[in-house]
């Protein structure tokens, strides 16, 4: 992905409109950062530190721990020990990683970690690091063990393996093997190829040769849960209700009698952020909602109704479709569209914010995956840019402090918190919608007439997808107004109308996507309704390409 394109893709957040606009503005204006982020740590006493050796599964470990209602954070293996210690974990999990412990510069766990008498669970490379650092021996294996294996438990009394079946499938992925376990350890379970598939010591240090965090290890979560509850003594305090009450306390302390602004987009992250802050500081929060005229049908009305009427928030509504349309006149290049929309958003946002008097804080819906990505070893250099990308465009004179109450949450946790805060389900489960909105779903020039056609087609598509109960299963589903016109026949007349493309994809994270196998009769209904009900359209096609090589959006 080239640099220019990458700067416009924010894959982890569904609620990417605002951050994308502000990111573009940063690029245009240069770095003008607000004051340092005040981290809102959830302050949960019961926490686990996951030491990250760079495995592609490290995020998954953190998610599984959180699913067990125990708070955890990821720390790069070379994080200064003081920082890890000040987190006051009740135990450590060492992740997998691509290295070999016998290599000269192999990443290892901070030595202090072993001196603290806290429980440790090493997974794959994490286990090998334990073995290596505690006096055992790891060597490269002749061949890599990859895939499913059957684990047989030999020490049923171990708390780590309590209440598990005698044998079960586990997922292996390792190229090294343990030839000698360290003094004080014993083997607790084995597979055909790994006599030491699970090891443990009386000092509550354990190692797993397989990956309990992946779905291919069906009992993996139970093993992690045993470690958290039976070994570390956790009780499961990480719940949406606790998060909400702790966050409200922290936000109150931080904001005091200051004023906060938050840009609302209609997406889930900014909605949850604003609602949380509103519960903490009430009318000290003002939200700004910019209608750029590129939203879907009824979207601005729905968002306003929720925030103003139902949640009783102060919302400044900027009704700006004409401004955006003027800036898009004659523009066909997708990147120019994006840039113009970004610039215009910043102008409108600044203008509205400027009328509010002195403001102290800017609330932003950054999520944990963005934070991890910004602070992981490889991306440290880019960290500040990425972490701040969504505020960089604001004028330095505003000197706002950033509040990011969701910066430790995964997406599914944001949704749970949103539901617990009483936000409507359709807002919580809204599919991602790009910042430049319908402008990048109209190939060629964006005009009022084309927007109306696309909105009408999109409305039909959405209602049919929802009717078929497929909305939540699909990552995204939308209509595209292609620049193509084709000949058709309606009654006795020949028509020359627009071609609408229907796009529906499944995906985990937007990095890759597969076209959804929608039922034929559903496609038939969508097509019939669009050509019959949307004047100007006489043909509908279904996009059957995956990403890669295509992208999800058409522009
Ligand atoms: P692509 O089309 O690159 O999209 O496969 C990946 C995800 O990003 C969204 N997307 C955007 N989001 N501004 C945004 O805020 C953009 O310019 C933009 N372009 C694509 C897209 O909807 C999908 O979820």
């Amino acid at each position: 992905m080239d640099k220019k394109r990458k700067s416009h893709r924010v894959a982890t957040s569904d609620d990417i409109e605002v951050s994308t606009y502000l990111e573009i503005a940063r690029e245009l204006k240069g770095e003008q950062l607000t004051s340092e982020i005040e981290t809102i740590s959830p302050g949960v006493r019961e926490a686990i530190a996951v030491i990250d050796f760079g495995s592609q599964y490290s995020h998954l470990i953190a998610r599984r721990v959180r699913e067990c209602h125990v708070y955890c954070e990821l720390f790069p293996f070379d994080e200064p020990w003081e920082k890890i210690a000040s987190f006051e974990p009740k135990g450590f999990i060492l992740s997998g990683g691509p290295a070999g412990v016998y290599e000269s510069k192999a990443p290892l766990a901070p030595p202090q970690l072993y001196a603290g008498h806290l429980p440790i669970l090493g997974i794959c490379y994490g286990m090998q690091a334990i073995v290596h650092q505690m006096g055992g021996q790891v060597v490269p294996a002749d061949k890599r063990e990859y895939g499913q294996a059957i684990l047989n438990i030999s020490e049923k009394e171990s708390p780590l393996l309590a209440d598990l079946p005698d044998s079960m499938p586990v997922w292996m992925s390792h190229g090294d093997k343990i030839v000698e376990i360290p003094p004080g350890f014993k083997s607790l379970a084995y597979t055909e190829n790994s006599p030491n598939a699970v090891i443990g010591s009386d000092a509550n240090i354990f190692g797993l040769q397989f990956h309990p965090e992946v779905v291919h290890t069906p009992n993996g979560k139970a093993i992690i849960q045993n470690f958290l509850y039976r070994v570390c003594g956790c009780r499961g305090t990480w719940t949406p209700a606790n998060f909400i009450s702790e966050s409200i306390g922290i936000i109150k302390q931080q904001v005091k009698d200051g004023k906060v602004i938050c840009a609302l987009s209609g997406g889930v992250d900014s909605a949850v952020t604003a609602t949380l802050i509103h519960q903490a500081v009430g009318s000290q929060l003002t939200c700004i909602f910019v209608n750029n005229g590129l939203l879907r049908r009824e979207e601005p009305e729905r968002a306003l109704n929720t925030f103003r009427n139902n949640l009783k928030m102060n919302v400044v509504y900027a009704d700006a479709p004409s401004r955006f349309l003027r800036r898009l006149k004659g523009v066909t290049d997708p990147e120019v569209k994006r840039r113009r929309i970004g610039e215009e958003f910043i102008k409108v946002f600044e203008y509205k914010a400027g009328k509010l008097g002195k403001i102290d804080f800017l609330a932003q819906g950054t999520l944990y995956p963005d934070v991890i990505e910004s602070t992981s070893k490889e991306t440290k250099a880019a960290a500040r840019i990425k972490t701040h990308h969504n505020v960089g465009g604001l004028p330095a004179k505003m000197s706002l402090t950033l509040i990011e109450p969701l910066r430790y949450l995964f997406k599914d946790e944001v949704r749970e918190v949103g539901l617990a805060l009483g936000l409507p389900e359709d807002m919580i489960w809204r599919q991602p919608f790009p910042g430049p909105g319908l402008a990048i779903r109209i190939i060629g020039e964006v005009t009022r007439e084309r927007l109306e056609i696309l909105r009408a087609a999109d409305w039909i598509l959405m209602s049919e997808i929802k009717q078929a109960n497929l909305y939540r299963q699909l990552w995204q589903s939308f209509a595209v107004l292609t620049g193509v016109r084709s000949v058709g026949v309606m009654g006795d007349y020949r028509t020359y109308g627009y071609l609408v493309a229907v796009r529906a994809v499944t995906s985990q994270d937007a990095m890759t996507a597969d076209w959804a196998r929608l039922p034929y009769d559903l496609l038939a209904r969508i097509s019939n309704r669009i050509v019959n009900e949307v004047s100007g359209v006489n043909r509908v096609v279904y996009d059957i390409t995956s990403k890669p090589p295509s992208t999800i959006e058409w522009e």
Side-chain angles (χ1 to χ4, degrees):
M1 203 186 283
D2 68 59
K3 224 173 144 202
K4 192 168 162 220
R5 258 179 93 68
K6 200 173 170 185
S7 71
H8 300 298
R9 300 295 195 275
V10 184
T12 46
S13 173
D14 276 9
D15 189 21
I16 36 200
E17 291 86 337
V18 170
S19 51
T20 307
Y21 297 141
L22 295 170
E23 180 182 6
I24 295 166
R26 174 186 59 74
E27 283 170 12
L28 291 170
K29 295 186 173 184
E31 293 296 310
Q32 294 176 333
L33 300 179
T34 59
S35 13
E36 186 49 61
I37 287 174
E38 290 264 342
T39 297
I40 297 189
S41 164
V44 181
R45 307 289 157 262
E46 192 181 272
I48 296 290
V50 179
I51 307 296
D52 187 5
F53 288 117
S55 158
Q56 52 174 333
Y57 299 135
S58 298
H59 293 208
L60 277 184
I61 300 175
R63 289 181 65 167
R64 294 292 163 268
V65 173
R66 301 271 191 98
E67 281 167 18
C68 295
H69 302 293
V70 174
Y71 185 68
C72 69
E73 283 182 27
L74 281 167
F75 294 88
F77 69 90
D78 56 353
E79 190 84 287
W81 173 249
E82 300 69 49
K83 193 157 174 209
I84 301 174
S86 71
F87 181 60
E88 296 182 11
K90 293 193 78 156
F92 298 95
I93 298 181
L94 312 188
S95 86
V101 280
Y102 41 78
E103 291 163 10
S104 64
K105 291 211 172 117
L108 294 172
Q112 298 93 326
L113 189 141
Y114 298 104
H117 306 293
L118 286 172
I120 304 171
L121 176 66
I123 295 174
C124 200
Y125 180 85
M127 174 202 211
Q128 289 152 11
I130 292 173
V131 169
H132 182 77
Q133 290 184 280
M134 300 202 75
Q137 201 189 358
V138 180
V139 296
D142 303 334
K143 69 177 196 322
R144 194 173 172 77
E145 189 181 7
Y146 181 83
Q148 205 131 61
I150 298 298
L151 183 79
N152 301 293
I153 297 180
S154 40
E155 288 288 334
K156 292 183 73 64
E157 303 307 310
S158 170
L160 188 71
L161 304 173
D163 294 339
L164 290 170
D166 293 345
S167 66
M168 59 192 158
V170 294
W171 187 258
M172 291 286 187
S173 172
H174 63 108
D176 294 336
K177 68 174 185 211
I178 293 162
V179 285
E180 193 186 324
I181 58 177
F185 280 76
K186 61 181 173 187
S187 167
L188 308 179
Y190 60 92
T191 65
E192 196 181 338
N193 292 321
S194 299
N196 300 309
V198 181
I199 59 169
S201 79
D202 290 340
N204 278 334
I205 302 181
F206 297 92
L208 305 175
Q209 185 62 86
F210 56 89
H211 287 276
E213 68 277 24
V214 303
V215 287
H216 314 291
T217 302
N219 287 301
K221 195 166 145 192
I223 298 175
I224 291 174
Q225 182 145 335
N226 278 342
F227 177 70
L228 301 172
Y229 285 64
R230 295 176 195 255
V231 180
C232 300
C234 296
R235 288 164 299 120
T237 55
W238 178 248
T239 59
N242 284 349
F243 170 80
I244 292 169
S245 60
E246 290 219 23
S247 299
I248 287 176
I250 295 166
I251 295 166
K252 275 188 175 150
Q253 255 178 26
Q254 190 186 7
V255 172
K256 300 197 179 72
D257 55 1
K259 279 174 94 178
V260 189
I261 49 168
C262 178
L264 285 179
S265 64
V268 59
D269 305 337
S270 68
V272 174
T273 303
T275 311
L276 204 51
I277 292 175
H278 183 248
Q279 293 214 348
V281 299
S283 59
Q284 287 163 254
L285 168 73
T286 304
C287 297
I288 298 178
F289 184 90
V290 178
N291 180 3
N292 57 11
L294 306 168
L295 302 173
R296 279 169 303 189
R297 189 186 276 182
E298 291 185 7
E299 191 96 352
E301 295 81 359
R302 231 190 342 237
L304 274 185
N305 186 43
T306 303
F307 292 106
R308 259 192 196 157
N309 303 342
N310 301 350
L311 299 168
K312 311 280 180 226
M313 290 187 198
N314 292 329
V315 182
V316 172
Y317 175 61
D319 190 34
S322 310
R323 286 183 64 148
F324 282 85
L325 265 182
R326 265 199 306 276
R327 294 283 285 143
L328 290 171
K329 197 166 170 29
V331 177
T332 53
D333 181 311
E335 295 307 315
V336 178
K337 285 182 187 174
R338 284 189 166 85
R339 228 179 15 249
R340 297 238 172 136
I341 294 165
E343 286 163 13
E344 207 51 32
F345 176 86
I346 290 297
K347 279 192 199 148
V348 175
F349 188 82
E350 278 179 5
Y351 174 71
K352 290 289 183 188
K355 288 178 54 169
L356 295 174
K358 177 157 170 36
I359 296 158
D360 310 282
F361 300 92
L362 172 71
Q364 188 76 50
T366 314
L367 304 194
Y368 197 41
D370 291 322
V371 176
I372 300 172
E373 198 196 317
S374 328
T375 51
S376 73
K377 206 166 171 303
E378 307 76 58
T379 53
K380 251 185 187 151
R384 297 193 58 78
I385 297 167
K386 182 75 205 255
T387 315
H388 294 279
H389 71 235
N390 12 25
V391 285
L394 291 172
K397 64 176 163 26
M398 279 181 145
S399 75
L400 299 166
T401 302
L402 194 57
I403 310 185
E404 297 175 300
L406 312 182
R407 74 183 258 116
Y408 290 97
L409 301 197
F410 289 106
K411 189 84 202 179
D412 42 357
E413 295 175 320
V414 173
R415 292 204 164 104
E416 280 180 40
V417 168
L419 288 170
L421 286 167
L423 285 169
E425 292 228 352
D426 56 346
M427 184 169 279
I428 295 297
W429 291 103
R430 197 185 77 144
Q431 291 175 354
F433 185 69
L438 301 181
I440 55 163
R441 293 179 180 170
I442 292 174
I443 313 304
E445 188 184 1
V446 180
T447 63
R448 232 176 255 280
E449 182 223 2
R450 289 177 171 195
L451 276 165
E452 277 318 309
I453 293 176
L454 181 55
R455 265 194 202 106
D458 181 73
W459 181 260
I460 292 168
L461 171 69
M462 273 305 150
S463 42
E464 288 296 336
I465 294 278
K466 284 183 177 166
Q467 184 79 24
N469 268 333
L470 291 172
Y471 184 78
R472 278 199 207 174
Q473 287 171 41
L474 297 172
W475 173 265
Q476 275 171 294
S477 44
F478 55 89
V480 176
L481 187 63
T482 72
V484 173
R485 285 185 177 218
S486 71
V487 173
V489 54
M490 251 180 212
D492 294 333
Y493 296 97
R494 281 169 78 79
T495 57
Y496 189 56
Y498 280 112
L499 170 67
V500 161
V502 171
R503 181 83 164 133
V505 295
T506 52
S507 174
Q508 294 294 323
D509 52 12
M511 302 306 279
T512 61
D514 196 8
W515 62 276
R517 286 8 179 211
L518 295 183
Y520 278 175
D521 50 358
L522 172 62
L523 286 169
R525 258 195 322 277
I526 291 168
S527 162
N528 275 339
R529 283 195 57 193
I530 291 178
V531 289
N532 284 318
E533 296 173 34
V534 184
S535 86
V537 178
N538 67 355
R539 196 178 292 269
V540 175
V541 293
Y542 188 47
D543 181 346
I544 50 165
T545 34
S546 298
K547 173 183 179 179
S550 287
T551 50
I552 296 176
E553 303 290 345
W554 273 38
E555 283 201 334

